Amino acid sequence: MEFVDNLRAKPAVQKIEKFIPAVAFLGGFAWDSITLGMSINDSDLAFLVAYYIGALIFIVLLSARIVQVAEEPVEPQKKFIARNAIAARNKLLDREWSDVWKARFTWVLQFLFGGMFSALVVCYFKSSGSLASFILVLCLAALLVGNEFLQKRYESFALNLALFCLLGTMVLNFTIPYFVHGIGFRWFFLSTVVSLGICFLVWKIARRPKRMMVVPVLISILLTVAYLMNWVPPVPLVLKQQMVCQNFDKKNYSCDVDYPTIFQRLNLEAPTVHRVDGNEVYFLSSVFAPAKLKAGLEFRWYYQDPTTGKYKLTDKISSGRMVMNGGRESGFRIYSNKRNVPPGKYRVETAYKNGAVVGASAFEVLEGMPVKGFVRDSLR
């Protein structure tokens, strides 16, 4: 230990130590970005649930405090029994932790919150297909960054309970579909109720004022409203690929696409589709979901009004063949087609049926042959 202390005392090492939290944060977030979202293993879910349970334990520990219990007049023979009952019931939490132990507990809680925020930002971002849902992801990202500066603040029971309620709902909304093989409002509502219920138990154990539950209740209400407004990304669905084309072959999901320009390859320019001889225009998507998960999908076609420049919904297309079965690594493949499509700009959203958008793509329909012709492509 003396060698370590001497090493840490050196100025160069002290400078390096300042960057360790940032490096650990960026490294963990990068690892989550690579490993999570597109495919989830049982171990990933186990770690996420372990973080949640760990946070629960340390929030309870940090809620410890010495509580003065006002004693009511009791008979002498019952007084000793009553005092011992109170002491036994609150033996762990009727205490004042030293500053050293508080620092240790808050550091662990910061780590656990950070792990959950990091995973949730990645997973919800990969399922985000609309501006509204992206705003929710930005809020999670802001809390992820803020978590790096909140260690001392985690001594506050009110803050801990509020963040725990938010994280609990988002974690359960992500994990429950893996066990029930489905998504939808009833499962999101279950996630909200369970998370709020656990917060209520923590509040009861901690013996805090009723006002401490106000923020968790408000968070639960706001998240429920956000889900009903389709502002919550439809996790764990993840868009893998999209394509607009013609001359579609259903057997191998191949079709003719315009030969892409350099800007289109870099996603700096919207793709085009040149209709030849009145061909139908096809839009293809592949969506990843965990094994055995079933969910109805739909396409929403929008046309840009040339006079106003605004997109207007023209069609919502769904059918029995668009009820996905998860488990395919490259995603469940679906398609829709439209005849007599007039030239112009379009946007098609791939969405959970009557729910949030998984992904969207804009393109332009033109008449005639493309300059460089067509190329045959397919959904993987």
Side-chain angles (χ1 to χ4, degrees), residues 164-176:
F164 186 67
C165 181
L166 172 65
L167 285 167
T169 301
M170 306 304 273
V171 167
L172 292 172
N173 179 50
F174 184 76
T175 55
I176 285 178

Side-chain angles (χ1 to χ4, degrees), residues 1 25 48 74 79 89 125 130 162-163 224 243 250 268 344:
M1 292 300 295
F25 163 73
L48 199 56
V74 294
K79 190 170 184 179
R89 185 182 63 185
F125 172 74
S130 67
L163 291 179
T224 302
M243 185 187 304
K250 298 179 183 179
L268 298 176

Side-chain angles (χ1 to χ4, degrees), residues 103-304:
R104 290 171 179 171
F105 290 159
T106 54
W107 183 88
V108 174
L109 189 60
Q110 181 187 36
F111 170 78
L112 295 171
F113 277 174
M116 285 189 284
F117 274 127
S118 178
L120 291 175
V121 168
V122 172
C123 294
Y124 277 80
F125 172 74
K126 290 183 176 180
S127 296
S128 176
S130 67
L131 177 61
S133 60
F134 185 65
I135 290 174
L136 178 62
V137 174
L138 286 179
C139 292
L140 290 174
L143 290 171
L144 168 63
V145 176
N147 177 70
E148 299 302 306
F149 307 95
L150 293 177
Q151 180 184 352
K152 189 65 177 177
R153 298 281 186 179
Y154 288 145
E155 292 183 12
S156 167
F157 178 77
L159 176 63
N160 293 343
L161 197 63
L163 291 179
F164 186 67
C165 181
L166 172 65
L167 285 167
T169 301
M170 306 304 273
V171 167
L172 292 172
N173 179 50
F174 184 76
T175 55
I176 285 178
Y178 284 84
F179 299 101
V180 300
H181 309 307
I183 63 174
F185 176 72
R186 58 177 176 172
W187 302 122
F188 182 84
F189 186 70
L190 176 63
S191 304
T192 306
V193 171
V194 171
S195 176
L196 186 61
I198 294 174
C199 288
F200 178 78
L201 291 177
V202 173
W203 169 76
K204 289 288 288 185
I205 293 172
R207 295 162 295 153
R208 297 300 174 105
K210 293 181 179 179
R211 65 176 183 273
M212 296 289 184
M213 281 297 298
V214 172
V215 175
V217 170
L218 287 177
I219 289 174
S220 300
I221 293 173
L222 289 174
L223 286 176
T224 302
V225 172
Y227 188 92
L228 292 173
M229 297 293 291
N230 294 330
W231 295 346
V232 178
V235 291
L237 306 184
V238 177
L239 183 72
K240 300 284 283 189
Q241 191 180 357
Q242 296 179 110
M243 185 187 304
V244 58
C245 57
Q246 53 191 321
N247 298 322
F248 173 61
D249 185 347
K250 298 179 183 179
K251 292 182 180 180
N252 53 18
Y253 271 75
S254 65
C255 54
D256 293 332
V257 301
D258 288 10
Y259 191 90
T261 66
I262 295 177
F263 294 106
Q264 288 172 342
R265 291 178 185 274
L266 296 174
N267 293 322
L268 298 176
E269 186 178 272
T272 58
V273 53
H274 285 73
R275 292 176 67 244
V276 179
D277 299 328
N279 286 344
E280 296 176 308
V281 174
Y282 285 83
F283 190 86
L284 287 60
S285 289
S286 56
V287 180
F288 169 82
K292 297 182 181 180
L293 188 146
K294 292 186 177 182
L297 301 174
E298 68 182 11
F299 286 116
R300 299 168 189 167
W301 285 71
Y302 293 82
Y303 173 69
Q304 187 184 57

